[in-house]
Amino acid sequence: MKVPTMLLAAAAIALLPATAAVAAPAAPAAGTATVVAKYTFDSAADTVSDASGRGLPLRLRAADGGTVKYVTKGSGRALAFPARCAENAAKCPRVLLEGGDDQDLDPGTKPFSYGLTLAATAQAVGSESNLLQKGVADAQGQWKLQIGGKKKLPSCVIAGAGKGAKRYMAKSSTGVLDNKWHTVTCQRTATQLIIWVDGQNRGAVAVPSSVSISNNLPLRVGAQNLNAKRTAFGGAIDDVTVSVG
């Protein structure tokens, strides 16, 4: 469902710090990687265009009257999701950003990276939040960035195609839920899946070079899907970036 422009508020919210806490690189050294999608949220609109010129736009889908806010971040803006509701709430205002099935976001066995910057508290995450993903497990394969677990740590997940395919998870050794801006990037190399937090390697797991990720599902930001109240993210994000190569 399309979110009317009139529901998009360009105002600051209490969730965010007045200034960014870090100025870390958005990803490890890019080398020969090609940015295939980048969303900066600097323009308030019903759809979010891709700043790289290669990816598909993201459209805002809402349920139960959910709205987003565009908030000041540095010289630009970031996007803040609705506050997370109780998981058993009958009415749960929420918003999901969804793109199309972009083949540039299907890396196969190639090295690639994906990530974003975020500002959030533990309350904005709840028991689990899906920040960024394409694909689902036990199907055509997926890549995902999430926050959850007992310690509410960010983690990167990839899985190959097929029911029962092994999932590989790189969990960060440090948290990010201090209401300050942090950059989290997942990097799949020829042999590893690495999670970078504010430019520092905070965890890795070995991944066979044969694991291939390619699916016909859309890029989703902010939740597993629009019906998944449990995985909805209630914080703010900026600079969603995907690179391949």
Side-chain angles (χ1 to χ4, degrees):
M1 177 174 68
K2 186 176 180 181
V3 179
T5 304
M6 63 180 294
L7 295 181
L8 304 179
I13 57 174
L15 166 72
L16 301 179
T19 57
V22 296
T32 59
T34 299
V35 176
V36 294
K38 186 174 181 66
Y39 303 96
T40 62
F41 308 106
D42 287 334
S43 298
D46 294 348
T47 59
V48 182
S49 61
D50 167 53
S52 77
R54 294 177 58 104
L56 299 175
L58 298 175
R59 64 190 181 100
L60 280 68
R61 299 180 59 207
D64 292 342
T67 62
V68 300
K69 293 182 180 180
Y70 284 87
V71 299
T72 300
K73 175 175 172 283
S75 60
R77 287 193 281 193
L79 181 143
F81 289 94
R84 185 180 167 106
C85 63
E87 294 180 3
N88 61 350
K91 184 177 181 180
C92 181
R94 56 198 185 277
V95 173
L96 168 73
L97 305 183
E98 186 173 87
D101 175 25
D102 187 348
Q103 292 184 352
D104 279 346
L105 305 183
D106 296 329
T109 59
K110 297 177 183 177
F112 73 105
S113 64
Y114 56 96
L116 44 68
T117 59
L118 66 96
T121 63
Q123 184 177 3
V125 169
S127 60
E128 176 185 7
S129 284
N130 285 19
L131 295 170
L132 181 62
Q133 74 178 75
K134 188 174 190 296
V136 296
D138 291 335
Q140 298 170 307
Q142 76 170 176
W143 50 259
K144 177 169 67 170
L145 170 59
Q146 62 188 12
I147 298 179
K150 292 182 179 180
K151 296 184 178 180
K152 299 184 187 297
L153 298 173
S155 60
C156 304
V157 178
I158 64 172
K163 185 174 179 59
K166 185 173 180 179
R167 297 169 71 246
Y168 300 89
M169 177 187 294
K171 182 178 291 187
S172 172
S173 60
T174 186
V176 294
L177 301 180
D178 57 3
N179 209 29
K180 299 177 181 179
W181 286 106
H182 295 279
T183 298
V184 183
T185 302
C186 304
Q187 181 188 28
R188 191 258 173 98
T189 70
T191 59
Q192 289 184 309
L193 176 63
I194 306 168
I195 184 166
W196 299 77
V197 177
D198 298 333
Q200 300 297 313
N201 183 332
R202 295 299 186 180
V205 63
V207 178
S209 60
S210 59
V211 174
S212 181
I213 307 169
S214 181
N215 58 67
N216 60 9
L217 294 173
L219 173 66
R220 288 177 175 150
V221 184
Q224 181 179 9
N225 57 61
L226 192 57
N227 294 323
K229 300 177 184 178
R230 185 174 180 272
T231 63
F233 178 63
I237 62 167
D238 196 15
D239 296 327
V240 172
T241 306
V242 183
S243 301
V244 177

